[in-house]
Amino acid sequence: MPANFTRRRDLLAEAGVPEPDAALSELTREVSALGLPAEWSTTPPPSGLGAVREALSTRLFRVPAEQRRLARLVPEWIIKRSGDLASALWLPLAEHGAALDLSGYLLAILGALADEGRERESQAYARFMLDLQFDWRRMYADPRLAYGFMREREPNPLVWRLLEELRPRGLRLGVLELGCGIGNDALGLLGSELVDSYTGIDISERALEAFEKRVARERPRVPPRLIRSDFLELLERLTVPEAEANLVYSYSSLHYFSSGELRRILQLVHRLLRSRQSGQAFFCFGIKGAGSVWDGQGLPLYRPDVWINWDGQSRWFPTRGALAHQLDEAGYEIRFHELHDHWGYSELGRRDVFHYVLCSPRRV
């Protein structure tokens, strides 16, 4: 799943909210009671922002006036003055402490965005913060989305770069792919003479069904094993045969995870690969970075590199230095780290900048 759920919790915790889980539960109850337009979670309601303002009006009247005033400043703060939601939440907590009507304040931010007629910002904020029983599967299936979660593509260039790097080593590869989707990259890997086994993991049942249909049609040399699971949970379990891999692969998935989750994923992959007796084991991934088409697009969650994009999902767009530092702290030795311009991945005719990384656990 996207990182929104854990990043919301992190946002409240870092701002000083004493019990962030309880606060989020209370916010969810309030949103349900308000009866905000259900269609707001996927498409703007036919009645526009007026329906949102009407639904919020009675509840926001109960928010103390000074707290409402601060909330009205948030759109300018985060859109025009280089602020972010983290600092916009820290200030009222610092000023009002336990007297802050936290749910009311978070709803008042939505009201302030709506009052300014900022429909896209309102929609992104509502999807991220208010958990309006958001149907992610419906969003991924929306044909208007540029990144085509369910669209068949050629394997991403990282597949060929990886195989080129590993071929001279004479390795036999057992591949574990985190977030395999419908198998775009998997079919490139499965066609390589280096690959002896492949396990793909994805949370989407629909994507795995599409993957299985492609396998039946294309009949790759190595039959894949597909598992529907949250791959962080699966890595925690480290079951066999998933744990037999000496190559862990992931493309365009890791930037969705919160910082704490990503650190844990790096630790678990490190533990898995360190257990390989051959001593040659690799983690290869592609992750969107600074300069990508959606970097800086939407609402800033944490400056400078975590954004709530227009689709409501939060993503990390790291610089080369930031990503290298995180890998070093996690105990990895980088084999290659290259920046790749990937045109048309997220939007037709627009550029994403992907970090292409191959690394191995350091042995001490």
Side-chain angles (χ1 to χ4, degrees), residues 30-67:
E30 292 231 25
V31 170
S32 298
L34 283 171
L36 289 175
E39 63 270 33
W40 183 259
S41 62
T42 47
T43 57
S47 50
L49 293 172
V52 175
R53 288 197 296 268
E54 181 179 350
L56 290 174
S57 59
T58 302
R59 173 62 180 91
L60 296 188
F61 184 75
R62 303 202 310 269
V63 180
E66 182 60 21
Q67 296 176 25

Side-chain angles (χ1 to χ4, degrees), residues 138-206:
R138 177 179 169 187
M139 185 190 73
Y140 283 136
D142 190 335
R144 296 171 300 175
L145 291 176
Y147 48 84
F149 179 71
M150 296 296 295
R151 189 168 77 242
E152 294 186 11
R153 306 175 186 236
E154 291 295 313
N156 289 301
L158 179 58
V159 170
W160 314 128
R161 176 69 181 92
L162 166 66
L163 295 173
E164 176 188 54
E165 181 74 19
L166 296 186
R167 188 170 285 111
R169 298 173 184 266
L171 295 173
R172 309 307 303 170
L173 298 176
V175 180
L176 173 64
E177 183 173 3
L178 309 177
C180 62
I182 65 171
N184 289 327
D185 283 6
L187 288 170
L189 294 167
L190 290 167
S192 170
E193 76 283 1
L194 303 182
V195 174
D196 287 337
S197 66
Y198 171 92
T199 300
I201 303 158
D202 203 277
I203 194 68
S204 170
E205 182 176 1
R206 183 165 176 250

Side-chain angles (χ1 to χ4, degrees), residues 314-335:
S314 57
R315 296 173 175 89
W316 179 43
F317 298 95
T319 63
R320 183 188 184 98
L323 182 56
H325 177 70
Q326 184 146 17
L327 289 170
D328 180 64
E329 282 195 327
Y332 288 90
E333 177 181 352
I334 293 176
R335 305 294 183 174

Side-chain angles (χ1 to χ4, degrees), residues 156-157 251 340-345 350-354 356:
N156 289 301
Y251 198 91
H340 175 80
D341 287 350
H342 195 151
W343 291 86
Y345 182 84
R350 303 291 299 279
R351 181 187 70 155
D352 281 307
V353 179
F354 270 82
Y356 280 7

Side-chain angles (χ1 to χ4, degrees), residues 82-113:
S82 299
D84 54 31
L85 283 171
S87 55
L89 184 56
W90 176 85
L91 179 60
L93 282 163
E95 286 198 6
H96 299 283
L100 177 66
D101 178 356
L102 181 59
S103 293
Y105 180 77
L106 293 171
L107 290 167
I109 292 175
L110 176 58
L113 290 167

Side-chain angles (χ1 to χ4, degrees), residues 175-182 186 198-209 211-212 215 223-235 237-245:
V175 180
L176 173 64
E177 183 173 3
L178 309 177
C180 62
I182 65 171
Y198 171 92
T199 300
I201 303 158
D202 203 277
I203 194 68
S204 170
E205 182 176 1
R206 183 165 176 250
L208 294 179
E209 289 173 352
F211 193 161
E212 289 173 344
V215 169
R225 182 169 188 260
L226 303 181
I227 299 173
R228 182 173 180 267
S229 174
D230 178 291
F231 63 72
L232 176 55
E233 294 178 1
L234 186 139
L235 287 170
R237 296 196 304 268
L238 281 178
T239 57
V240 176
E242 295 92 305
E244 295 300 314

